[in-house]
Amino acid sequence: MGQKVHPYGFRLGTLYGWKSNWFEDRRYGEQVLEDHQIRNHVKKKLYHAGISKVVIERVSDKCTVNIHTARPGILIGKRGAEIEALRKKLADYTSHSIYINVKEVRRAELDAQLVAENIALQLERRVAFRRAMKKAMTSTMKFGAKGIRLECGGRLGGTEMGRRERYAEGRVPLHTLRANVDYGVAEAKTTYGVIGVRCWVFKGDVADRSLREGALSQRAPEDLAR
């Protein structure tokens, strides 16, 4: 069962928080669509900036977009020009006042989404998939991860028949709720088709005492790892 359940959704509410934080009674569907459009725009326009995730918070007529990125300098731009242009563009998707917070991802090698996107970028540049995967695994484990699992699927190496290749190092628990497992998915659009990349990064167990006290709502899982 652990192989079929999304690692993030499996731990939602216990270990991780929601990526959209707001309450709406009448315009619920409209605001879900707005969140989807905002995330798509940020991801598409700023893909080169290493966007890990976009967390959206709404209070009355105020919409705060928290962008977690590995390269905040590219996102902000010279004297904040880029982020101001982004704020004006995002204002087209919603009637709420848009506020943008840029949060830096300090160790991109431990972020599963950024690891998956890095491998996908290498595949698009015709780097051998085994080399790209093993290099990412070595780098992630070097930065202190307890385990990593990678999977690539598609016409690997340009072969006629698609297949899957998996590599793993360390341990990645699938059923343990207290395990801080990060998960990311990316696509490499190559000349011979799309190759999917999935990544699981195990950063360590969260202390049971922290779970009981509800400290996870105030602090990130990385701060509570043993």
Side-chain angles (χ1 to χ4, degrees), residues 21-84:
N21 298 302
W22 45 265
F23 175 81
E24 178 61 45
D25 189 15
R26 298 179 182 178
R27 296 182 59 248
Y28 177 80
E30 295 176 22
Q31 292 197 6
V32 169
L33 180 60
E34 288 176 6
D35 286 5
H36 179 69
Q37 291 173 334
I38 288 171
R39 285 195 179 91
N40 278 356
H41 180 83
V42 171
K43 197 69 180 177
K44 186 177 179 181
K45 293 294 182 182
L46 299 166
Y47 189 84
H48 59 285
I51 305 297
S52 170
K53 62 181 177 180
V54 179
V55 180
I56 298 173
E57 300 172 357
R58 295 174 188 262
V59 179
S60 63
D61 61 342
K62 178 182 175 183
C63 178
T64 305
V65 182
N66 300 298
I67 304 175
H68 296 251
T69 173
R71 304 184 188 99
I74 296 175
L75 181 60
I76 295 169
K78 191 175 181 180
R79 295 182 181 178
E82 293 293 330
I83 200 165
E84 183 60 28

